[in-house]
Amino acid sequence: MYEELLNEAANCGLLVKEKPLRGYDGRIKGKRIAIKRDMPTIKKACVLSEELGHHYTSFGNILDQSKLENRKQEKRARNWAYKRMIPLDKFIEAYQAGVTSRYEFAELIGVTEDFLTESIKHYQQKYGLCTTHNGYIIYFENVVVVKLFE
């Protein structure tokens, strides 16, 4: 997934460099993205997806999170990353693969468990207890997927 995101960034004209960052896992400034070098690749993918989310949804310097507008932009970028990395189809894919835990789900789709948990919270805020998608009901509380009758 990380390679795929690197290619997407390059196609957008963004330069991604791995650096020994302090205090941040990733940063975007203009057309440059810095990713903390000493992280597992799976976490780099999650961080890069959020930085791409900033590229697509944010503007200006939003480092001061005491400002409401900056917090809103941060949330928009994260939500973009959740939808990019874990679209609803991935819940169905995990169900079809027989996944029984969040650990297995995260491993299957190539994200960290923390990222998966936060994405589930995002979907709960957006849809509530559950939603229907492509002939399935997806319950977010315990990540249960049920196929609807045809």
Side-chain angles (χ1 to χ4, degrees):
M1 182 60 78
Y2 186 54
E3 288 296 322
E4 184 179 317
L5 293 166
L6 287 171
N7 289 334
E8 181 174 342
N11 290 337
C12 291
L14 300 171
L15 177 65
V16 179
K17 294 266 186 183
E18 293 185 14
K19 297 181 171 248
L21 296 178
R22 290 191 182 130
Y24 297 98
D25 290 338
R27 293 280 307 272
I28 184 169
K29 186 173 183 182
K31 293 283 192 179
R32 297 183 334 197
I33 297 175
I35 301 292
K36 190 173 186 177
R37 179 180 297 148
D38 57 345
M39 295 187 299
T41 302
I42 197 166
K43 185 165 183 183
K44 288 178 188 177
C46 296
V47 171
L48 181 53
S49 70
E50 184 178 329
E51 298 309 319
L52 283 170
H54 284 296
H55 169 71
Y56 291 121
T57 68
S58 304
F59 58 90
N61 182 338
I62 65 167
L63 292 176
D64 182 357
Q65 289 293 295
S66 67
K67 296 179 180 177
L68 178 61
E69 180 55 36
N70 291 353
R71 289 193 308 273
K72 286 181 178 180
Q73 288 193 65
E74 184 67 33
K75 184 164 176 38
R76 252 191 319 268
R78 284 190 182 146
N79 291 347
W80 185 95
Y82 299 144
K83 289 182 351 188
R84 169 65 173 81
M85 298 289 282
I86 312 172
L88 292 176
D89 289 331
K90 294 292 182 182
F91 288 84
I92 297 166
E93 180 182 323
Y95 163 74
Q96 292 171 336
V99 166
T100 60
S101 71
R102 286 190 185 195
Y103 170 80
E104 289 177 346
F105 188 4
E107 189 173 272
L108 174 73
I109 60 177
V111 299
T112 65
E113 282 186 80
D114 288 341
F115 190 88
L116 174 61
T117 297
E118 291 304 312
S119 73
I120 291 168
K121 288 178 188 176
H122 159 71
Y123 284 122
Q124 285 176 314
Q125 288 173 351
K126 183 173 182 174
Y127 297 112
L129 177 65
C130 64
T131 191
T132 57
H133 181 74
N134 289 344
Y136 292 84
I137 302 174
I138 302 168
Y139 293 91
F140 299 110
E141 185 65 30
N142 293 314
V143 189
V144 174
V145 177
V146 178
K147 183 163 179 53
L148 294 171
F149 293 107
E150 295 179 4

